[in-house]
Each structure stands twice: as C-alpha cells, then as structure tokens.
Amino acid sequence: MTREIVLDTETTGIRPEEGDRVVEIGCLELINHLPTGKTFHKYINPERDMPEEAFRVHGLSEEFLRDKPKFVEVVDAFIDFIGDAPLVIHNAAFDIGFLDAELKKIGREAIGLARGIDTVRIARTKFPGAQVSLDALCRRFNIDNSGRVKHGALLDAELLAEVYLELVGGRQQGLSLAGLDNDPMALAPVAAPRGPARPVRPHAASEEELAAHAKFIAKLKEPIWLKPD
C-alpha cells in the first residue's frame, strides 16, 4: 500500500524570504495513487496585508482571513495529516519553500524538498516543450476544471490528484506488464493437460477426391505450372 499526499498552498506572494506568508493549505490523501476521501483544508491568518496581485489570483482578502487561525495553531493537525508520506505538488519547490519558512518561524523541523514529487518535472519529462500548467494538463487529460475560476488550495489539490494519476499511467496502470522481468515464469507458456492418445488419422486423398481435383484442374486456362521457364 502506497500512501501519498497531494498538497497545494495559496500565499500572499512569491517570496517567503521577503515576508510573504501562507494563507491556505489544501491536502488530500492517496492510497495507490487513488483518493481515499480524506482531506485537510485550512485558511490561515497571515498576520499581514494582502497584496492586490495575490488577491487577484486566489480571491482571499485580508478581511476574510483576519479571524482565521494562525499557522502555529494549525501546524500540529497539518503535520499529523501528512505524516511521513511523499508530497505530490505542482512546482514542489514553491510550496515546500513556503511551508518550510513557516515551520522555521515557529522553531519546527522543515519538510525538505526531498519529500516532494514534483508533477511539473514529471510533465516536462513526458511532454517536452508542451505547456505544463495545471490548467494545460487538465485540458490534455480531459479533466473538468470549469470550477477553477480562481486558485484554491483544496480544489487545485483535487485537480492535481487526477492529473497525477494520468501522469503515472492512468486508472488501468495495474494492467501493465511492468515488473514481470523480475518473475521469469510470469510469461512462461502453460502446458496443455494431457489426455488419452488419439489414433493416427489417414490424410491421403480418396479416389473420388482425386477425380474431383483433376476435373477442376482441367478447367484452368494456361496454369502457371505448365508454362516454360
């Protein structure tokens, strides 16, 4: 059983080292690449203003976030939910960088980029030169993203879970022959069950069959076997 967590964040900007903060975390659990229905979702008070550029992306205003819990108040529940599972993230360096900055502020252990499964890198490897934004991948795999008017951490995590499933082989990946090389008998021919031996059947043509054949041959015009070399 493989447990993974699909994760997305929304923030006040793009530079945690300059004071930008996490304002939303959305996670969902996968077992063997499929959602289990278990999720984690929190809006977070960033304890600062909301720049207009960030507001246009996710629509989370300073007023809306003012009464939401601070990161330190949700961190234990967040860490419990993700456990030690790999984190499936679209552009992992961005989200993990922000989360590690938040964890550092409160003296907690960093997550580290090594835990991230970056779907941007997977998509660029599979589709070199193609657009690999979440919207572009949804279009490629015919995933309905019509509800994505603005970015939202949990909605984006749900869409990413579908994209990730397609990137790793789709819903029928279990039908592949991967891994059979480790089992040399996996594709070995199966012997048919033995039964009582049958007597040999005669295959020579009867006189009637020979006469019918000769009559048929006589109707052919210029048969190729009678032509000179």
Side-chain angles (χ1 to χ4, degrees):
M1 183 178 71
T2 301
R3 183 177 188 262
E4 299 164 309
I5 300 296
V6 184
L7 182 150
D8 187 61
T9 64
E10 299 300 334
T11 66
T12 64
I14 61 173
R15 295 182 179 86
E17 69 276 7
E18 296 182 10
D20 284 319
R21 304 288 302 272
V22 173
V23 297
E24 185 183 9
I25 303 174
C27 305
L28 63 87
E29 180 186 63
L30 303 180
I31 298 295
N32 296 334
H33 304 317
L34 296 175
T36 65
K38 294 181 181 179
T39 63
F40 175 89
H41 181 228
K42 293 290 182 182
Y43 294 110
I44 297 169
N45 179 356
E47 304 178 81
R48 56 154 292 171
D49 65 306
M50 178 62 68
E52 181 61 28
E53 313 89 80
F55 175 74
R56 285 198 297 267
V57 171
H58 49 58
L60 302 176
S61 67
E62 184 178 347
E63 291 73 22
F64 174 78
L65 296 169
R66 188 172 292 130
D67 65 346
K68 301 302 183 285
K70 299 173 184 177
F71 183 80
V72 69
E73 297 172 317
V74 304
V75 66
D76 287 334
F78 168 64
I79 295 298
D80 286 346
F81 184 82
I82 66 173
D84 59 358
L87 305 177
V88 179
I89 305 172
H90 206 60
N91 190 9
F94 179 88
D95 297 86
I96 291 179
F98 262 94
L99 290 168
D100 281 353
E102 295 286 353
L103 290 164
K104 183 179 179 180
K105 282 183 174 68
I106 59 175
R108 302 291 290 267
E109 183 180 355
I111 293 170
L113 193 55
R115 281 184 64 180
I117 298 174
D118 192 344
T119 49
V120 169
R121 294 184 63 181
I122 298 173
R124 283 176 176 163
T125 300
K126 292 196 71 167
F127 311 115
Q131 293 183 340
V132 294
S133 68
L134 185 56
D135 285 333
L137 291 171
C138 285
R139 289 193 297 272
R140 175 180 286 274
F141 296 125
N142 294 317
I143 295 168
D144 182 10
N145 65 339
S146 58
R148 195 181 188 233
V149 179
K150 288 186 179 292
H151 290 213
L154 187 58
L155 172 60
D156 286 2
E158 290 169 347
L159 292 172
L160 183 59
E162 295 189 62
V163 165
Y164 177 58
L165 177 60
E166 296 296 335
L167 288 174
V168 298
R171 293 185 181 276
Q172 297 189 29
Q173 59 182 298
L175 298 180
S176 70
L177 300 180
L180 291 180
D181 290 341
N182 297 326
D183 181 5
M185 296 303 295
L187 294 179
V190 179
R194 293 182 177 273
R198 294 182 179 180
V200 177
R201 291 177 295 176
H203 293 286
S206 65
E207 292 185 6
E208 292 81 2
E209 289 171 332
L210 290 172
H213 179 67
K215 186 177 180 180
F216 173 77
I217 292 297
K219 296 178 181 178
L220 298 178
K221 295 181 179 179
E222 299 181 355
I224 192 170
W225 56 84
L226 295 181
K227 291 184 178 180
D229 295 337

